[in-house]
Amino acid sequence: MTPAGEQFCYSDAYAHSIEARVRAVDTGDAVIVVLDRTVFYPGGGGQPSDRGSLLRAADGRSWMVRAARKIDGEIVHEIEPGDDDPPAVGDVLQADLDWARRLTLMRTHTALHALCGVVWRDYGALVTGGNMEPGTARMDFEFERMSGDLVDAIEAAVNTELAAQRDVRVNVLPRDEAFAIPDLIRTKVNLLPEGIEEIRTIEIVGLDLQADGGTHVANTREVGGIRVTGYESKGRINKRIRIALEDPA
Ligand SMILES: [Zn+2]
């Protein structure tokens, strides 16, 4: 298999525009474009994939990217169907994210880490699942004694942590080193595939450290504040907390 193209979403979350060359085009039900490097995030870990556009400067032709995803380790771009004139192998394209949407997702994702960190630190509750849209998110916990009063306290504590202007760091560690970190795997089930050699971690310095593949802002101040917009029981033990960014734009 040819090696995957460069994937900037994991090393530089703020990269949102790049010039790249088309390595492959597949015209099936959806038109799939593979580039030699990309800034698109393929989705995963509850964070939806990026949207955006591809522009061929040579003739000004452009295509909307409605989603990105990973196929055999390669991040691919799915362009709107019904296009009978897709880009060609060898074309040089400008790949641009819908940056406003991605940045809101980065802030939302980082807010979820702050929530997860607070709930673990203050109540020892494990995460069982989560999902997000730009500006809103939910997270499920194994949290039998959650109540409305606790939720108010959690909202206040998360906002205190976000306002503390904590740096958010990305690290890639050898597997053994990563697994030596206590509590690194905060989900109830260890979702990391067998056999992977390196573990990417996201640290909100002083609050939270997790294995994670998504995109995040560099400092909690960029998140602003959050509101807890709801909570539900999903059973005796499993509880869901919904949050929204105070300022999603
Ligand atoms: Zn994350």
Side-chain angles (χ1 to χ4, degrees), residues 80-122:
E80 293 288 351
D83 192 308
D84 54 8
D85 182 24
V89 171
D91 281 357
V92 173
L93 304 179
Q94 176 89 18
D96 285 300
L97 302 185
D98 177 341
W99 174 237
R101 178 175 176 277
R102 157 71 95 75
L103 185 58
T104 303
L105 282 167
M106 284 161 53
R107 294 169 58 220
T108 308
H109 196 150
T110 308
L112 276 184
H113 281 251
L115 172 65
C116 185
V118 162
V119 169
W120 174 252
R121 181 194 66 193
D122 295 351

Side-chain angles (χ1 to χ4, degrees), residues 169-186:
R169 293 186 189 148
V170 182
N171 277 301
V172 178
L173 303 175
R175 185 187 178 89
D176 292 351
E177 206 176 306
F179 277 92
I181 301 170
D183 310 323
L184 181 68
I185 310 303
R186 198 73 49 74

Side-chain angles (χ1 to χ4, degrees), residues 154-167:
I154 289 166
E155 180 185 86
V158 169
N159 282 323
T160 299
E161 294 302 326
L162 294 171
Q165 309 202 6
R166 296 186 181 279
D167 282 332

Side-chain angles (χ1 to χ4, degrees), residues 18-57:
I18 202 166
E19 195 177 81
R21 190 174 293 272
V22 178
R23 294 171 64 211
V25 178
D26 181 19
T27 52
D29 291 340
V31 177
I32 299 292
V33 177
V34 184
L35 303 172
D36 63 352
R37 48 193 197 149
T38 189
V39 290
F40 280 73
Y41 178 66
Q47 182 181 337
S49 88
D50 287 323
R51 299 176 193 153
S53 62
L54 302 174
L55 168 70
R56 185 167 61 199

Side-chain angles (χ1 to χ4, degrees), residues 45 47 109-110 112-113 132 200 202 210-216:
Q47 182 181 337
H109 196 150
T110 308
L112 276 184
H113 281 251
M132 75 196 83
R200 183 173 181 268
I202 303 297
Q210 289 183 57
D212 189 289
T215 66
H216 311 78

